[in-house]
Amino acid sequence: MTNLDAVEGLDAVTRSLARRTPEQLAALLARHAEPLARRPAPTELRGLAQALWSYETLHHLVLHLDHPRLQVLATTARISQERAARAAPGPAAPAPGADYQSLMAHRLSFAHLATEPVPPEDVYAALGAASPGPPRTAAETALQRLYDDALAAPAGDGAIVVPPRVPQLLAAHDLGPFLADAPRPASDDTAAPAATVAPTAPHDESRAAAATLAATADRLLAALATQPAALRKSGGLAVREIKRLAKAAGATEPHTRLLLDLALAADLIALTRSPSGITALPTGAYDDWLGRPPGARLAPLLAAWSGLWDIPTHTPFGETPTALVRGHDRHAPALRHALLAALAAVPLGAGTPLPPLPLPDPPEQAAGTRTPWDDLLRAADWHRPLAVGHQPMAQDRAAHTLHEAAFLGLVAHGTLTPLGRALLDDPRALDEPLADLLPPLLEQAHFQADLTAVVPGRPAAALAGLLAAAADRESEGHAVTWRFTPRSVRRALDAGHHADTLLEDLTRASSTGTLPQPLCYLVQDAARSHGRMRVLPAACCIRSDDETLVEELAAHRALRDLQLRAIAPTVLVSSRPPTATLDALRAVGYAPALESDTGTTTVERLPAHRTKAPAPSRNPHAPLALAHRLLGLPAQPQEAATTGDS
């Protein structure tokens, strides 16, 4: 049976799209960009209508509907299907013993995909919102939002037309009674007095969390730049790689997995295939990221979290924790939005602490009683019903999501922080709230007589690089401390620094414009002993103009593994390669320098690995340009210039 009513439904949504301005149509395309990107770009409005009403697109879009919109859509679809079934009843059952083709023809002839326009009053009556009041207002608002998102369309007589696939998507879900407003996330009798929490507490905790997050992400990406991480053949990072990176970043393994997935989603790292396997290493965008202010560094990571198809810190029972695996959990973004939206309604002081992880077994409760945690999930379920209560392991997934939000500085004291509210409003507009949270980077440090340098805040990339080259990082937090030692200064000299230029650079980085005498003496003493011996890259050789020093090395017990042999008063031969020989000499307190076969000193530098970033994301002007083409309007000059990028 040809479903002419379904065709008329596509006509209705096509006419609805044609009545929009280019800006309105572009906003629709931007809101539905993710599911539409999985289909060929439409060339006409009818093609866009078919794409929006396809089963795959609807399967994604209904996850992001709140309770009123979902109820209006499901109720309209149910009434529409009932009306269509009455108008076009199915044929008689096939005869016994009918062949397969006859059975399939009988099955497909039913009007389960038929659609009939439904008067809005019938929908309101079915929802118990026939009379004026809050339920009626909520239902009318929900219907208008469905029209705006092209999930429903008005027919010529004002009736509602919905996609014929909606009953298949929603028939199995019990949405309960129609609720005009979200339930309270916290019970009245469990809410703490508002005076127990200072008004600035969420902001202060968010600032501390953001500062920790910025420092942790910085160390993690620096560790990847120095030593790329190898992925398993089956995909994802091995446990030993996660442990290594967690130690380098100073974070827990779950938080390390979270940051790795966020950096991958933000295109700061990429997976590169080589003959030895797949490795993860920073992209060229990482260098630009290093030059940004602290707040601008966190913005892409937080935006990536809001849309990530995974809950990285949640590992279902029986699975191995890993990272850098493209997620397939399409419910995760809607779950995040639901939880943040529920917490946005919690007044300061009325929130409850996050449940510990792993979640304990629920205690026995009397019938009809609820805990604050149950109230929060019930409120979140109103905001995104299909992504919260209708999913397995709902409580575990929600608890891990909120702990991630607390780590990212979005949640504190059981409510949203100002940063969390900004993310909930628009994940693409975080620069201003982050700039308020994180002060600008510091260009200078306080050098002290105990051979330490203290930066009372976040150091700029140039300052951090200078101190990391000549000192060892000793502490983290609001103030970062580096300590200068003979070994750390020799490391700077090995990397090509000269004593005079190193002291000049450190002096410029000093907040007082001078350096303590002990630090000057340390650098000068290290420079005097540096390079007194030379390691040749030939099997290898050690040479020094100091014959006494050569004899001392040949007789040193700790260097017996090198099997040193004197071939001249000033030359020793080692059985180990140059790198191993250098390490052995430095381990016992000497300060050798590496020399090339031309007699010049070789500068030793830490490797800095980079790979190409993925293809750039779609041009922000592309939706508006596509809207003009679909509406048959001439493109604006700015859009015409970017047509090739869309």
Side-chain angles (χ1 to χ4, degrees):
M1 180 185 71
T2 303
N3 191 352
L4 297 178
D5 292 325
V7 175
E8 293 175 359
L10 283 177
D11 291 340
V13 73
T14 303
R15 289 193 296 268
S16 173
L17 295 173
R19 288 193 292 267
R20 302 179 187 230
T21 66
E23 291 73 20
Q24 291 172 337
L25 187 58
L28 172 70
L29 293 170
R31 287 197 301 273
H32 300 338
E34 188 166 3
L36 290 178
R38 303 174 186 273
R39 302 175 59 90
T43 57
E44 56 183 10
L45 285 177
R46 178 114 182 151
L48 176 59
Q50 290 175 331
L52 289 171
W53 280 22
S54 68
Y55 185 85
E56 295 78 7
T57 303
L58 290 172
H59 195 193
H60 177 90
L61 295 181
V62 295
L63 297 179
H64 299 271
L65 296 181
D66 56 21
H67 175 84
R69 284 183 290 169
L70 204 57
Q71 282 276 26
V72 170
L73 183 63
T75 302
T76 306
R78 176 178 56 80
I79 298 174
S80 175
Q81 191 178 39
E82 292 172 354
R83 291 164 63 96
R86 289 194 298 267
D99 57 12
Y100 175 78
Q101 286 79 6
S102 299
L103 291 174
M104 290 304 298
H106 172 266
R107 175 180 176 82
L108 295 177
S109 65
F110 281 110
H112 66 289
L113 293 182
T115 180
E116 282 280 342
V118 180
E121 291 299 331
D122 291 359
V123 178
Y124 300 149
L127 294 174
S131 302
R136 176 62 174 259
T137 302
E140 291 176 345
T141 302
L143 178 59
Q144 185 57 50
R145 294 185 65 186
L146 290 174
Y147 285 161
D148 293 341
D149 283 338
L151 294 177
D157 58 356
I160 310 170
V161 180
V162 296
R165 291 286 194 174
V166 170
Q168 290 179 287
L169 286 169
L170 303 181
H173 299 288
D174 181 11
L175 302 176
F178 182 72
L179 300 176
D181 299 311
R184 290 183 60 86
S187 301
D188 294 336
D189 55 350
T190 59
T196 60
V197 178
T200 59
H203 183 273
D204 293 340
E205 287 205 19
S206 182
R207 171 178 292 174
T212 301
L213 176 63
T216 304
D218 192 1
R219 293 192 297 269
L220 176 62
L221 293 175
L224 270 180
T226 302
Q227 182 181 347
L231 272 68
R232 302 175 301 183
K233 291 183 179 179
S234 58
L237 281 183
V239 174
R240 66 176 182 276
E241 286 282 21
I242 296 176
K243 290 182 179 294
R244 173 181 71 85
L245 293 173
K247 182 178 179 181
T252 64
E253 292 180 27
H255 288 162
T256 301
R257 298 199 307 269
L258 170 63
L259 286 178
L260 286 170
D261 285 352
L262 295 183
L264 180 65
D267 294 335
L268 295 177
I269 61 178
L271 307 183
T272 302
R273 185 179 297 276
S274 64
S276 59
I278 300 177
T279 57
L281 64 161
T283 65
Y286 168 61
D287 297 308
D288 298 333
W289 183 82
L290 285 175
R292 300 179 188 174
R297 290 187 185 184
L298 293 187
L301 298 177
L302 296 179
W305 182 76
S306 68
L308 193 66
W309 278 33
D310 194 11
I311 304 175
T313 60
H314 178 238
T315 304
F317 179 77
E319 296 186 10
T320 302
T322 187
L324 301 182
V325 176
R326 296 289 184 182
H328 301 284
D329 185 357
R330 68 170 67 203
H331 300 85
L335 173 62
R336 290 189 190 95
H337 180 93
L339 291 169
L340 295 184
L343 288 178
V346 178
L348 185 62
T352 57
L354 295 181
L357 294 178
L359 283 180
D361 294 332
E364 294 292 336
Q365 294 179 214
T369 62
R370 294 195 307 270
T371 66
W373 177 242
D374 295 329
D375 289 330
L376 175 62
L377 292 183
R378 183 166 173 260
D381 189 78
W382 185 91
H383 290 282
R384 294 293 185 268
L386 299 187
V388 184
H390 290 265
Q391 293 302 309
M393 299 183 292
Q395 294 207 8
D396 278 349
R397 289 160 49 83
H400 282 84
T401 299
L402 288 179
H403 276 274
E404 290 180 4
F407 172 68
L408 298 175
L410 307 172
V411 171
H413 297 287
T415 186
L416 285 190
T417 65
L419 180 59
R421 295 181 186 276
L423 182 73
L424 182 63
D425 292 339
D426 187 358
R428 298 165 298 180
L430 298 177
D431 289 341
E432 184 175 347
L434 282 170
D436 294 337
L437 280 180
L438 297 176
L441 297 174
L442 299 180
E443 303 284 348
Q444 293 183 318
H446 299 290
F447 292 88
Q448 304 179 126
D450 62 351
L451 297 180
T452 60
V454 179
V455 181
R458 294 282 300 138
L463 177 60
L466 174 63
L467 294 176
D472 297 321
R473 191 188 292 256
E474 202 171 59
S475 71
E476 297 290 347
H478 296 293
V480 188
T481 303
W482 278 267
R483 180 170 294 278
F484 293 89
T485 65
R487 182 186 294 271
S488 68
V489 175
R490 287 199 302 267
R491 184 175 69 237
L493 298 176
D494 293 337
H497 289 277
H498 297 284
D500 294 339
T501 57
L502 179 60
L503 289 174
E504 291 175 2
D505 293 341
L506 293 175
T507 301
R508 281 194 296 269
S510 172
S511 58
T512 62
T514 59
L515 296 177
Q517 278 192 342
L519 178 57
C520 297
Y521 292 156
L522 175 64
V523 174
Q524 293 166 356
D525 289 345
R528 277 194 295 269
S529 62
H530 186 264
R532 289 177 59 198
M533 64 189 74
R534 304 285 175 172
V535 175
L536 305 177
C540 67
C541 296
I542 302 174
R543 74 171 185 85
S544 174
D545 296 331
D546 189 342
E547 297 182 8
T548 303
L549 178 59
V550 172
E551 294 174 359
E552 177 184 328
L553 292 175
H556 204 298
R557 285 190 171 187
L559 300 176
R560 283 181 299 182
D561 290 342
L562 297 181
Q563 299 179 5
L564 298 177
R565 293 179 294 111
I567 60 174
T570 59
V571 180
L572 293 174
V573 173
S574 171
S575 63
R576 305 293 300 277
T579 302
T581 301
L582 286 169
D583 292 342
L585 291 171
R586 288 166 179 164
V588 296
Y590 293 101
L594 183 64
E595 187 173 277
S596 69
D597 52 3
T598 61
T600 58
T601 300
T602 299
V603 174
E604 302 175 52
R605 301 186 186 278
L606 291 175
H609 300 277
R610 296 290 186 275
T611 187
K612 291 183 179 179
S617 58
R618 187 177 295 270
N619 189 288
H621 301 292
L624 187 56
L626 178 59
H628 274 94
R629 291 200 299 271
L630 293 176
L631 294 172
L633 300 175
Q636 301 298 319
Q638 184 178 10
E639 300 160 20
T642 59
T643 300
D645 299 331
S646 62

